[in-house]
Amino acid sequence: MPTLPARFQLAYDDFNLDVNLQLPSTGVTVFFGPSGSGKTTLLRCIAGLEKAPLGYFEINGQCWQDSTNDLFVPTYQRNLGYVFQEANLFPHLTVLGNLQFGLKRQTPNTVSPTELQDIIELLGIGHLLTRKPERLSGGEKQRVAIARAVLLKPDILLMDEPLAALDQLRKQEILPFLIHLHQHLSIPILYVTHSPQEVAQLADTLVVMETGKVIALGGLTETFNRIDLSFAQDKAASSVWQVTLINHETDYHLSCVAIDKNLLSLPLIAADIGTKLRIQIYARDVSITLAAPTATSILNRLPAVIKAVNNTDNGQCTVSLTVGKQALLAHITQKSAQQLGLTADLAVYVQIKGSSLLR
C-alpha cells in the first residue's frame, strides 16, 4: 500500500517541530498527544497553512512541498478538506447555502445532486438544510462543516480537534457520524485530538507526539497498548479489539463475538450476524488468575500470556498481555502482582468484567 511521506522541521522561539513520517494512504490516522505537542502544527504544515523551512509532503503522486527544490503549493491549490475546532459557517447563509458555497471552489463542479444527497444523508443534516447557523447546535454545525469539506472531493481530509469545542453530550451526538464517515470514505483522514476516547473510537493508525516529535507510530491496537507510553498508566487506559458478531443468546440478552479463536459474551447487540465490531476493554476491568477460573460469575475468561509488568508510584501495576494475537492491558495492585509472581512470558488467564461497544 502506498504511503504519504511527511517530513517537516519548523522552529519557533520555544518550540521545535521535527517529524519524518510515512503515513497510511487510507483509513483514519490520529495525531495524539497533550497540548503543545505539535499535533496541530503538523496538520497545518500538511495543509500548507504553515510553511516549514524544511519540508516535504506528497500525495497521489503530487508533491505539495519540497523545500530542497523550492517547491511550495499554496493551500488554495491543494485538493484537501479541512475541518477546524469551530465550524466557521457563513452566518447569513442557510445550511444548504453553506454547502453550495463550498462547491464554488470546484472548477468545474463535479458533484452531482445524488452525491450531494448522499453526503447530506451520511451526516444526518437533511432536516437542517433551511436553517441558518444560529439555529444549530454545536454538533450540528460541525456536521455541516464536515459535509462541506467532504463535498470538495478532497484527496485528503484534515480534522483539527473537531469535537474540542463541544460538551460531552454533543460529542456523543457527532461521534456516530464520524464513524459512518470513516466507513464510507476511501481517502485518508488525518485527525488531531488529545482525547483517548476519540482515539479508541476512530483511529486505525496512531501517531503519538510529545514536544514536537513523534514518540510512537503504529496500528491502534499495538500502539494503544504500549506499556512504555503514558496513557497505558492512565485510569482510563483501555484496549481496543476488532471482533465479529457470531450469534445472539436472546434468552439472556447477550450476544457472542469472536476474536481469533476466542469467544466473548457482550450485552445484546442490535446488529446482524457477521457484523464487524470494535469493542473497548478498560484495564481496570481485567483481572488475572494463574489457573483457569471455574466457579465465577464472570463470563469472559480467556488464556493469555504476560508480555511485561510495569509498577507505578501509587502501588498500582500495569500488566501488558496477549490474548491470542490481541494486546490487552490490566491494572492491578503491586501486591497482587507480587503474590501471583507475575513475570514476562508467564501463561495466565484473564477475566474481563466488562467491555464497551464502540462500533
Side-chain angles (χ1 to χ4, degrees):
M1 182 180 297
T3 58
L4 312 179
R7 303 189 293 272
F8 299 103
Q9 292 182 18
L10 179 67
Y12 296 121
D13 291 339
D14 57 349
F15 173 78
N16 291 311
L17 178 72
D18 187 356
V19 299
N20 185 350
L21 295 167
Q22 295 290 330
L23 299 172
S25 58
T26 60
V28 177
T29 298
V30 172
F31 298 159
F32 175 78
S35 297
S37 60
K39 309 181 299 296
T40 292
T41 302
L42 172 55
L43 202 71
R44 288 174 62 85
C45 285
I46 292 171
L49 297 172
E50 296 276 357
K51 185 176 181 180
L54 295 175
Y56 185 91
F57 185 77
E58 181 181 332
I59 182 169
N60 296 341
Q62 298 181 356
C63 188
W64 287 356
Q65 182 174 359
D66 184 356
S67 56
T68 59
N69 292 308
D70 198 28
L71 172 66
F72 183 82
V73 177
T75 302
Y76 72 91
Q77 292 182 350
R78 303 185 183 198
N79 187 29
L80 59 85
Y82 203 115
V83 180
F84 297 87
Q85 291 185 20
E86 299 292 340
N88 296 322
L89 302 178
F90 295 106
H92 63 289
L93 297 177
T94 64
V95 166
L96 182 58
N98 271 276
L99 297 180
Q100 292 172 333
F101 186 91
L103 295 177
K104 293 178 181 178
R105 276 186 54 187
Q106 288 192 325
T107 307
N109 180 4
T110 60
V111 176
S112 69
T114 299
E115 289 172 319
L116 174 60
Q117 187 60 37
D118 287 345
I119 295 300
I120 288 171
E121 291 180 3
L122 181 63
L123 288 159
I125 57 174
H127 63 295
L128 306 174
L129 295 179
T130 60
R131 295 189 196 176
K132 290 187 176 180
E134 64 184 14
R135 295 182 54 217
L136 303 178
S137 70
E140 290 169 341
K141 290 177 183 177
Q142 282 299 72
R143 281 151 56 192
V144 175
I146 293 167
R148 184 173 61 181
V150 172
L151 280 170
L152 297 176
K153 293 187 176 180
D155 291 328
I156 189 170
L157 180 61
L158 311 179
M159 308 186 79
D160 185 9
E161 299 200 66
L163 307 187
L166 305 179
D167 59 35
Q168 193 59 37
L169 183 62
R170 296 294 175 259
K171 287 181 181 181
Q172 293 306 312
E173 167 196 312
I174 196 174
L175 270 168
F177 294 100
L178 291 177
I179 291 169
H180 292 155
L181 191 72
H182 170 205
Q183 294 169 340
H184 284 80
L185 290 185
S186 59
I187 61 172
I189 300 174
L190 305 184
Y191 188 101
V192 167
T193 186
H194 60 267
S195 165
Q197 190 62 27
E198 290 174 39
V199 173
Q201 292 193 268
L202 297 171
D204 298 306
T205 301
L206 183 57
V207 178
V208 184
M209 299 186 67
E210 283 185 6
T211 61
K213 293 181 172 57
V214 174
I215 63 170
L217 166 64
L220 171 64
T221 301
E222 59 267 27
T223 309
F224 211 42
N225 287 274
R226 275 183 48 175
I227 203 168
D228 58 319
L229 299 178
S230 60
F231 48 72
Q233 325 303 330
D234 190 89
K235 291 182 179 179
S238 64
S239 306
V240 177
W241 288 359
Q242 303 283 352
V243 301
T244 303
L245 180 60
I246 61 168
N247 66 52
H248 298 295
E249 295 183 275
T250 53
D251 289 346
Y252 297 107
H253 294 275
L254 295 173
S255 294
C256 186
V257 300
I259 181 166
D260 298 332
K261 296 181 180 180
N262 294 304
L263 302 179
L264 290 170
S265 290
L266 304 177
L268 191 63
I269 300 167
D272 296 330
I273 303 302
T275 300
K276 305 295 183 182
L277 303 167
R278 180 180 287 200
I279 64 170
Q280 183 176 27
I281 302 168
Y282 286 97
R284 62 175 181 260
D285 289 334
V286 179
S287 63
I288 299 172
T289 67
L290 297 181
T294 53
T296 173
S297 65
I298 298 174
L299 293 175
N300 296 318
R301 310 180 295 272
L302 304 173
V305 176
I306 293 176
K307 291 178 58 182
V309 180
N310 184 35
N311 291 333
T312 60
D313 295 332
N314 59 356
Q316 298 298 302
C317 181
T318 301
V319 183
S320 172
L321 308 107
T322 55
V323 178
K325 298 178 181 179
Q326 306 303 316
L328 181 68
L329 292 177
H331 282 179
I332 62 174
T333 64
Q334 290 181 22
K335 182 176 181 179
S336 295
Q338 183 176 352
Q339 289 180 338
L340 292 173
L342 301 187
T343 59
D345 299 323
L346 180 67
V348 296
Y349 285 82
V350 292
Q351 297 187 112
I352 300 173
K353 291 175 280 187
S355 60
S356 301
L357 179 67
L358 293 174
R359 56 178 168 87

